[in-house]
Every structure is written in structure tokens, then in C-alpha cells.
Amino acid sequence: MINWFKRTSKKFINAMKGMLVMIREEKSLWVHFFATIFVIIMGIVFDIEAYEWIAIIFSIVLVIGFEIINTAIEYIVDIVSFEYNVKAKKVKDVAAMATLVVTIGAIIIGLIIFLPKISELFA
């Protein structure tokens, strides 16, 4: 049991180190962070329903998760490709596109949830 706890806590510590790398080195993560704060404030202000919170939280987690995976892929490509390589660039571009697709989906979900509530203010 003690060994399990040590292994598990070490994994958690390593994950926190990864989070620190992301916070220090990835500017796009800060954009997602401020967007997250804005959306949470909007959810509180408009008193959204539980199912809407589920969609919002799922979207936030998905976008940030994809951003983290995209960054990991970029780091791996940089390790294995010492010089400019067209295929390495394509790998990075495709990983970035995956993040963009998820982000666009999250924006659409946000618009579906918040546009009717915003339009009620002006009705």
C-alpha cells in the first residue's frame, strides 16, 4: 500500500511539473485560461442549467487537454527532428489543427448556450 501511494504521488508530482512547464512556456494556454474565466463568469451571471454547465466544463477540459497534447507532440517532434523537416512541420500543423477544431466546437457550444440568454436582455 505504501509503495502504491509513493508511485501515485510521484505521478501526481510529475503532472504538476508538466503543468508548470505549460504555464511558463505556452502563451496559448493563458488565452484558454482567460477564456475559461470569462465563460465561468458568464455561466454564473446567466445562471445556466446543470446540463449547460456539463457542456461548458466538458468543452473547457477538452480544449485544454488538446492544447496539452498538442504541446507534447510539438516537444516530441523537436526532439526527433534536429533540422527543419517538412514532415515534422506537417505533424505540428495537424496537431495544432486538432486543437483548433476542438476550440471551434467549444465556441459553438458557448454560442448555443449564451446567445439566447444574451438576446433575452435586449428583447
Side-chain angles (χ1 to χ4, degrees), residues 25-84:
E25 298 180 15
E26 289 302 313
K27 304 292 185 256
S28 58
L29 185 67
W30 285 99
V31 173
H32 295 304
F33 173 73
F34 288 117
T36 295
I37 298 300
F38 176 74
V39 168
I40 289 171
I41 290 169
M42 293 280 289
I44 293 168
V45 167
F46 287 108
D47 194 28
I48 63 176
E49 300 290 330
Y51 69 92
E52 294 169 320
W53 276 116
I54 291 168
I56 293 294
I57 291 168
F58 184 74
S59 296
I60 290 168
V61 170
L62 201 60
V63 168
I64 292 173
F66 265 75
E67 186 63 47
I68 292 166
I69 291 168
N70 177 43
T71 300
I73 290 169
E74 288 179 357
Y75 287 158
I76 290 168
V77 169
D78 289 344
I79 289 169
V80 299
S81 181
F82 301 109
E83 299 174 3
Y84 179 81

